[in-house]
Amino acid sequence: AQRVTQPEKLLSVFKGAPVELKCNYSYSGSPELFWYVQYSRQRLQLLLRHISRESIKGFTADLNKGETSFHLKKPFAQEEDSAMYYCALFPGNTPLVFGKGTRLSVIA
Amino acid sequence: NAGVTQTPKFQVLKTGQSMTLQCAQDMNHNSMYWYRQDPGMGLRLIYYSASEGTTDKGEVPNGYNVSRLNKREFSLRLESAAPSQTSVYFCASSDRWAAYGYTFGSGTRLTVV
């Protein structure tokens, strides 16, 4: 069965420190993966898709098929990065499968 | 440039009352979804509609019904609200299932007392 695991419920880092939000998936095919961000009491917004290989707000994510991971990274955290982050998998012809989310807290 | 619009934004219900959450999208998307968001549980799919005229159960459908009224609108109904349905409800839409990701509404915060 398809599954997305985000092992950390909460991640606290200091401003200016590197950030890595972990995401592991279980899927037998070629995955399409996403990261969504939700700022306090707002709607979820698409942060990035692995197929576009883009960098948004300084965040990047690389698909590692060998480790079945899609970790989200940023070299220098900012206070405005504090939010809830969800990793999601598109299995094909069924809805997105979301992880349970990681709350990132950036400490000034 | 509305995207996905949900109404109401907030609602308090008494146990046993019924209500309908409304969702409309103006992006000509084929697929629409209802999720609930609870602390520690992430997003859980309630129902979805792959295209106009079809609906399917998600992970947590019990206690809910849906109607895909037309291509734009997808409503979620609670027939007899229970405190366990206290949650934040999000509607989302996408084209071609979800190959390009979802667009989410701003959510409905529902409290059942």
Side-chain angles (χ1 to χ4, degrees):
Chain A
Q2 303 95 358
R3 186 178 297 123
V4 174
T5 303
Q6 293 180 250
E8 303 137 329
K9 286 187 176 180
L10 173 65
L11 182 65
S12 296
V13 301
F14 286 102
K15 179 182 175 180
V19 176
E20 182 178 66
L21 298 164
K22 291 184 168 52
C23 172
N24 290 92
Y25 66 90
S26 173
Y27 181 60
S28 57
S30 293
E32 293 185 40
L33 289 152
F34 305 83
W35 277 99
Y36 282 82
V37 61
Q38 184 183 28
Y39 301 103
S40 181
R41 296 202 169 216
Q42 294 186 24
R43 71 184 72 200
L44 279 82
Q45 305 171 39
L46 180 63
L47 183 60
L48 54 82
R49 300 178 290 157
H50 95 272
I51 57 174
S52 60
R53 300 190 64 79
E54 55 197 344
S55 173
I56 303 293
K57 299 184 179 182
F59 285 98
T60 59
D62 291 317
L63 176 62
N64 185 323
K65 291 187 179 181
E67 295 182 358
T68 60
S69 68
F70 187 56
H71 302 329
L72 184 68
K73 299 178 183 179
K74 185 171 184 178
F76 308 104
Q78 302 299 316
E79 289 180 74
E80 56 264 30
D81 296 328
S82 294
M84 195 76 177
Y85 291 82
Y86 290 96
C87 182
L89 165 72
F90 177 50
N93 294 329
T94 60
L96 287 179
V97 177
F98 285 88
K100 293 191 184 303
T102 297
R103 182 169 298 283
L104 175 64
S105 176
V106 180
I107 305 163
Chain B
N1 194 7
V4 178
T5 302
Q6 289 184 237
T7 56
K9 293 191 184 302
F10 303 93
Q11 184 71 49
V12 178
L13 288 179
K14 293 182 178 179
T15 298
Q17 287 186 318
S18 62
M19 80 162 295
T20 300
L21 281 64
Q22 307 287 351
C23 176
Q25 51 93 8
D26 61 3
M27 295 171 291
N28 202 35
H29 282 165
N30 289 313
S31 303
M32 298 184 74
Y33 315 85
W34 277 105
Y35 284 86
R36 59 178 291 173
Q37 183 182 42
D38 302 288
M41 303 295 290
L43 288 165
R44 293 183 291 171
L45 182 64
I46 305 171
Y47 272 93
Y48 64 99
S49 172
S51 60
E52 187 178 355
T54 69
T55 60
D56 284 287
K57 295 178 181 180
E59 181 185 354
V60 289
N62 291 343
Y64 305 95
N65 284 302
V66 290
S67 295
R68 184 74 184 266
L69 304 170
N70 48 55
K71 190 171 185 179
R72 290 186 62 248
E73 298 172 285
F74 188 39
S75 62
L76 178 71
R77 183 161 178 83
L78 286 71
E79 291 291 351
S80 179
S84 60
Q85 295 178 304
T86 294
S87 187
V88 181
Y89 291 85
F90 286 99
C91 177
S93 70
S94 71
D95 197 7
R96 291 179 52 207
W97 279 104
Y100 299 99
Y102 290 176
T103 300
F104 280 88
S106 58
T108 296
R109 190 170 294 271
L110 175 68
T111 302
V112 183
V113 297

